Amino acid sequence: MIAKRLEKLAFHLWSEGGGPYYLLIILFITIFVAPPLVLAQILPHTVIHVAMALVLLTGVFTVPCHTSVRLIALLIAAIAVIGRFVEVVMSGQIPAATEIVLSVVTFALFAVLIIRQFLARGRAIKHRIAGAIAVYLLLGLLWARLYELVKLVDPAAFQISHDEGIATLFYFSFVTLMTIGYGDVVPVSLVARNLAILEGLTGQLYLAILISSLVAERFAKAGNKRQDNLSGDERQDD
């Protein structure tokens, strides 16, 4: 009974008429709130693992999509969540790498579904803004996991002045996504450099395409409204 109520609530939060506000909250906590509290030893390190699992599970149960797509996403997310906790209990390169790859695939799937559902024309502007922010945060999180995978395979892939684990990779990912680049984290290996270049290009193209499409749609709506007003004036003259 409780499970059905939770599932109903989740579908309501991300129904086609709703917006991705709760996922935004979880993403914000996972990326910006949990890591500093863990580093300050206010919260245990397991909080980050739980937050990452919540992002995966919340996305699966709330992103509007076909049942078959939801089942595939649920399977991938479930394996990723299990793999993450196996990694915590039994530290090893293979479980960690598997979990990261599955998480990246799931985040990419969420981003595509959000773009299709909430950035399409006709949606309320508040839902589209929330969807756009959610996709941007998912991109940063996705690349942070990719950097984590690279660092797992090659510990010398990054030159880091002050390594704080996954929090440092979150920071580096969003700094790269926004093309700021302070230089305190430097990709050294070829794979790390290419990923950083690709993330910088993705961040710039995403913003450019998103803003240009919103501006174009705004002008199109203004033009249609002006045309409707002119048509109404002509009918009144007749």
Side-chain angles (χ1 to χ4, degrees):
M1 190 70 177
I2 297 176
K4 287 184 178 180
R5 288 182 179 179
L6 290 175
E7 184 179 359
K8 184 177 179 181
L9 175 62
F11 276 103
H12 174 70
L13 294 175
W14 264 63
S15 63
E16 292 193 3
Y21 307 110
Y22 280 75
L23 182 62
L24 270 176
I25 294 172
I26 295 175
L27 283 168
F28 185 85
I29 292 172
T30 303
I31 298 168
F32 303 112
V33 178
L37 293 178
V38 169
L39 291 173
Q41 297 183 347
I42 298 174
L43 295 176
H45 192 269
T46 52
V47 169
I48 295 181
H49 298 295
V50 173
M52 295 288 288
L54 284 175
V55 171
L56 291 172
L57 295 176
T58 302
V60 168
F61 284 105
T62 55
V63 174
C65 59
H66 273 255
T67 304
S68 58
V69 177
R70 191 184 303 281
L71 289 175
I72 293 172
L74 176 60
L75 178 62
I76 296 173
I79 297 174
V81 171
I82 294 171
R84 188 166 189 87
F85 286 100
V86 168
E87 175 195 349
V88 174
V89 178
M90 301 170 54
S91 60
Q93 205 174 59
I94 294 177
T98 303
E99 182 270 326
I100 292 171
V101 171
L102 291 174
S103 294
V104 167
V105 171
T106 310
F107 291 149
L109 179 61
F110 291 167
V112 171
L113 291 174
I114 292 170
I115 290 172
R116 289 184 60 185
Q117 293 292 341
F118 293 105
L119 298 187
R121 295 190 176 190
R123 297 289 181 189
I125 188 64
K126 60 180 181 180
H127 297 337
R128 299 183 68 188
I129 291 174
I133 297 172
V135 171
Y136 200 69
L137 293 180
L138 281 171
L139 289 175
L141 195 59
L142 185 154
W143 252 275
R145 301 310 312 275
L146 286 175
Y147 294 137
E148 187 180 359
L149 179 61
V150 172
K151 194 168 181 287
L152 178 69
V153 176
D154 181 9
F158 295 91
Q159 182 180 334
I160 303 174
S161 58
H162 186 56
D163 194 352
E164 294 175 331
I166 188 63
T168 300
L169 297 179
F170 284 168
Y171 158 78
F172 175 69
S173 178
F174 281 96
V175 165
T176 305
L177 189 65
M178 296 181 289
T179 64
I180 297 175
Y182 290 111
D184 49 349
V185 181
V186 180
V188 176
S189 71
L190 180 61
V191 175
R193 288 177 176 177
N194 286 340
L195 279 176
I197 292 171
L198 186 59
E199 183 179 18
L201 286 173
T202 301
Q204 292 303 300
L205 289 174
Y206 176 79
L207 291 177
I209 294 172
L210 178 67
I211 293 173
S212 62
S213 63
L214 290 176
V215 170
E217 184 179 348
R218 180 73 175 179
F219 276 109
K221 286 183 178 180
N224 292 335
K225 186 176 181 180
R226 190 180 301 111
Q227 186 65 34
D228 291 340
N229 290 336
L230 289 174
S231 300
D233 293 339
E234 289 176 358
R235 285 195 295 270
Q236 287 180 358
D237 292 338
D238 292 343

